[in-house]
């Protein structure tokens, strides 16, 4: 047992006091874990666009003050009552959507939408008692998607932690705790392109580039990257993209451009932008008869998907997924092993790193569309 087990820990956390305002590094009190909870020392975290949407709170419910962060790697510090799968010292990746292992979804081979622990972006408290484990002078600071990794210590439900190989470098595999697994799984587990097929990827950030990587692994012969930011195209070649389309270069809808390039439409498309117009284009650009489109981007809360039903009648399929359909506890340890066996490269997704004290720089980079993933080191 560590000397801190069962006690309140005081540590640094990056607190978002208000929507869109720079995070402030504060000393927070982190309560001990309750039943089925685990307290984790975060070593590395990275920024995903989902954090930015909820921090901006332009198209999402504002919940403040809040500690964001959901893509991370850490070490178990202590465990609450009833936790038998994890012990202090275990290396873990927190995941925004959990796996209780007992509900109908966890027992289904098809679903990762756990009844108890599925993503809930508007809840800022722990399930056990409806309260936050973070306080500053007794005032609660809310959680984000059950992970809140922009803190040196955090408390999560045991079902939101994937136990991984302790030899895996946490500064690299932390990106598997959201973005890279999401994109990879969206292609490999949901879109399932056949060898030789044509795949369009909308949005070439970390999630989209991981989706492209999945298409390459699946043996797609053409991988068409679609992005509004032309700076993404050069980088995307490293991830298997063979052609590029910038919708801004055409005066017709991008789905028509793609249909012309591919003799009627792509076999599969994966949308990783979060923008409703891109979601509709990603669906309408798939070939009739067999095309499958997969939505991954997190939409604006008022967004409505509108397409003519004939597009579905003509035998196109529309799907969506969280976390690439992976079950975090069951599947993620083996994705980490793929990296350890050098079957999956993560380094090329990591373009920047900053000390925790400069976490706001990671936000600036993402807002400017620079780089792919920025790793934030908690010990600096
Ligand atoms: P990112 O900002 O790094 O990349 C998004 C890319 O999309 C950018 O390059 C941007 O230029 C491009 N883009 C924006 N609008 C576009 C449009 N209309 N057409 C074409 N390209 C466009 O973001 P990211 O971290 O890679 O995340 C991508 C999306 O995936 C976000 O919406 C994020 O919230 C979502 N996400 C979903 C899940 C899930 O489980 N479903 C998990 C993680 C992230
Ligand atoms: Zn994410």
């Amino acid at each position: 047992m560590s000397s801190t087990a069962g006690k309140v820990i005081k540590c640094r956390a990056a607190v978002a006091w208000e929507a869109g305002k720079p995070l402030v590094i504060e000393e927070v009190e982190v309560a001990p874990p309750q039943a089925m909870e685990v307290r984790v020392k975060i070593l590395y975290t990275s920024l995903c666009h989902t954090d930015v949407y909820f921090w901006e709170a332009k198209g999402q419910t504002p919940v403040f003050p809040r500690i964001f962060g959901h893509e991370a790697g850490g070490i178990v510090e202590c465990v609450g009552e009833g936790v038998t799968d994890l012990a202090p010292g275990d290396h873990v990746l927190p995941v925004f959507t959990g796996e209780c292992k007992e509900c109908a979804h966890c027992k289904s081979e098809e679903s990762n939408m756990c009844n108890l622990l599925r993503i809930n972006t508007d809840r800022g408290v722990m399930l056990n008692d409806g309260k936050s484990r973070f306080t500053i002078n007794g005032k609660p600071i809310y959680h984000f998607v059950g992970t809140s990794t922009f803190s040196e210590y955090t408390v999560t439900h045991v079902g939101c932690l994937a136990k991984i190989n302790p030899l895996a470098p946490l500064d690299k595999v932390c990106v598997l705790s959201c973005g890279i697994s999401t994109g990879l799984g969206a292609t490999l587990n949901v879109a399932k392109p056949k060898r030789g097929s044509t795949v369009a990827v909308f949005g070439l950030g970390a999630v989209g580039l991981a989706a492209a990587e999945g298409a390459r692994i699946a043996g797609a012969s053409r991988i068409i990257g679609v992005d509004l930011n032309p700076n993404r195209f050069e980088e995307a070649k490293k991830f298997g993209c063979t052609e590029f389309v910038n919708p801004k270069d055409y005066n017709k809808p991008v789905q028509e451009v793609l249909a012309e390039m591919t003799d009627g439409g792509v076999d599969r498309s994966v949308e990783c932008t979060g923008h409703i117009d891109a979601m509709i284009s990603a669906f309408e650009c798939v070939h009739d008869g067999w095309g499958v489109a997969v939505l991954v981007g997190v939409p604006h809360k008022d967004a409505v998907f509108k397409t003519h039903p004939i597009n579905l009648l003509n035998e196109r399929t529309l799907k969506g997924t969280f976390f690439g359909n992976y079950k975090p506890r069951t599947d993620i340890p083996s994705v980490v092993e793929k990296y350890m066996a050098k079957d999956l490269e993560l380094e090329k997704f990591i373009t920047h790193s900053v000390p925790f004290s400069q976490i706001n720089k990671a936000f600036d980079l993402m807002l400017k569309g620079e780089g792919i993933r920025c790793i934030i080191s908690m010990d600096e």
Side-chain angles (χ1 to χ4, degrees), residues 178-241:
C178 177
I180 310 312
S181 300
T182 295
L184 202 63
T187 304
L188 293 175
N189 302 335
V190 188
K192 298 184 183 160
K194 297 198 171 95
R195 289 199 80 76
S197 59
T198 298
V199 178
V201 177
F202 285 71
L204 302 173
V207 179
L209 292 171
E213 187 79 351
R216 176 163 69 183
I217 293 169
S221 59
R222 292 178 72 186
I223 305 173
I224 308 173
V226 181
D227 204 300
L228 300 171
N229 175 358
N231 299 333
R232 296 282 184 194
F233 297 155
E234 193 51 45
E235 194 98 52
K237 289 181 188 160
K238 288 188 218 153
F239 299 83
C241 286

Side-chain angles (χ1 to χ4, degrees), residues 49-50 53 178 205-207 227 232 272 275 296 298 321 323 373:
H49 214 124
T50 311
Y53 293 147
C178 177
V207 179
D227 204 300
R232 296 282 184 194
C272 308
H275 289 269
V296 177
V298 172
T321 176
F323 201 50
R373 277 300 192 250

Side-chain angles (χ1 to χ4, degrees), residues 202-277:
F202 285 71
L204 302 173
V207 179
L209 292 171
E213 187 79 351
R216 176 163 69 183
I217 293 169
S221 59
R222 292 178 72 186
I223 305 173
I224 308 173
V226 181
D227 204 300
L228 300 171
N229 175 358
N231 299 333
R232 296 282 184 194
F233 297 155
E234 193 51 45
E235 194 98 52
K237 289 181 188 160
K238 288 188 218 153
F239 299 83
C241 286
T242 55
E243 289 145 87
F244 300 96
V245 174
N246 187 339
K248 284 186 190 161
D249 294 345
Y250 300 86
N251 52 14
K252 57 184 161 189
V254 66
Q255 50 272 47
E256 285 177 25
V257 176
L258 288 161
E260 281 165 20
M261 284 169 73
T262 55
D263 199 16
V266 299
D267 302 306
R268 298 290 185 268
S269 75
V270 187
E271 177 281 325
C272 308
T273 72
H275 289 269
I276 190 66
D277 46 351

Side-chain angles (χ1 to χ4, degrees), residues 47-51 70-71 96 177-179 182 207 373:
L47 184 63
C48 166
H49 214 124
T50 311
D51 295 305
H70 63 280
E71 199 175 270
F96 64 85
S177 108
C178 177
T182 295
V207 179
R373 277 300 192 250

Side-chain angles (χ1 to χ4, degrees), residues 17 61 144 307:
W17 289 101
T61 311
F144 179 60
T307 192

